[in-house]
Amino acid sequence: MTTLTDRYVWAAARSVPEAQRTELERELRERIGDETDALVESGLSPIDAERAALIELGDPVALAAGYVDRPLQLIGPRYYLAWWRLLKLLLIVVLPFAALGVAITQAVNGTPPGGIVGATIATTLSVAVHIGFWTTLVFAVLERTPAPAGRRGIDAPWTLDMLPALPEPAKASRLGELIASVVMLVVFAGVIVLQQFGVPWVDDLQSVPLLNPELWSFWLPYFLGLIALEILFAFALYAWGWNWWLAGANLLLNVAFAVPALWLFLSGQLLNPAALDAMDWPWGESGPIIVAIIVVVVVAAAAWDVVDGGIKAWRATSGRRAGVDSQPVAS
């Protein structure tokens, strides 16, 4: 008859590579035998001593995994932090662009607003699942790949230089600006996408696009791409604060938006002719005045944003320079 020891050894040995089974079986039998003999000498019967020794050893599969140094978790401490940081970065970067791309594609294809929202949500969730699955799969494989001694895997050994800096008081105040900017830009992008189905709060434009539908061939996707860059700019501003590099980027973004928008508007390509007819444009002698006001407002807003960014960059860099100069010099 097979004994409990035979069954235990077989259960442990079958979960290790065949080349290591013989050695594991021998070591296990010796260990079980020694512990059983010790328990017998303490007064237990052989049967009770064998059972107590096996219970003390625990699950044979877990014992075998420790013998061959095989992890029993999907991602262990060696790679968990690297996996978590990469997963968060991919989700933050990829999902907004995936959602925006799907929304633009659906809008260009003439999908109704409900269909755009549904397709965007479904695709975004699908992309999130794929990112989570494939990132986890890669790290699960790495977890089962031997790493050099003294290293955490793909990360360099931990040093004091990896300690994060204390949060700046100014950065906390920039969080509100980041939220406001992102919300405004997302709403602006949504208006560009949804206006092609009409403007429901204007009776004459309930089923007429406000912007020229022909612009979907290039210019409207171009403006939506600029909005995406503006969102990235807002995150960069939150992370680093104003500096001359970001002030230059702010200038380029304003020029890239204002110049094409004004050119399209003044050349009559921006607005849908059907929408202008529905609004009875031009409105008599006031038409040129309204056009001039719109141009002045757009130019003034872009110019003020550039000047304001330059002023904030100058103040930020001057403050940091003054802080450095005020530090005592070691003798």
Side-chain angles (χ1 to χ4, degrees), residues 106-107 109-118 194 196-197:
Q106 295 295 322
N109 293 334
T111 306
I116 294 177
V117 174
L194 297 178
Q196 70 164 344
F197 304 104

Side-chain angles (χ1 to χ4, degrees), residues 195 209-217 220 268-273 275:
Q195 60 77 36
L210 180 61
L211 301 179
N212 193 342
E214 295 180 0
L215 296 180
W216 281 109
S217 61
L220 291 183
Q269 302 179 64
L270 182 62
L271 300 178
N272 183 13

Side-chain angles (χ1 to χ4, degrees), residues 231-318:
I231 292 175
L232 293 179
F233 175 80
F235 277 98
L237 198 58
Y238 168 72
W240 301 311
W242 280 101
N243 55 52
W244 289 115
W245 288 105
L246 291 180
N250 186 46
L251 170 63
L252 292 177
L253 288 172
N254 274 284
V255 171
F257 189 90
V259 172
L262 288 175
W263 173 71
L264 291 171
F265 177 68
L266 294 175
S267 63
Q269 302 179 64
L270 182 62
L271 300 178
N272 183 13
L276 295 177
D277 292 339
M279 294 185 295
D280 295 327
W281 179 266
W283 300 329
E285 296 180 356
S286 63
I289 298 176
I290 294 175
V291 170
I293 292 175
I294 292 175
V295 172
V296 170
V297 169
V298 171
V299 172
W304 170 249
D305 190 50
V306 171
V307 172
D308 183 56
I311 293 174
K312 290 178 178 178
W314 176 77
R315 288 175 177 172
T317 53
S318 298

Side-chain angles (χ1 to χ4, degrees), residues 21 48 298 331:
R21 289 179 183 174
D48 292 338
V298 171
S331 58

Side-chain angles (χ1 to χ4, degrees), residues 147-162:
R151 296 181 67 88
R152 296 188 296 156
I154 61 175
D155 284 347
W158 187 88
T159 64
L160 290 175
D161 294 333
M162 294 181 178

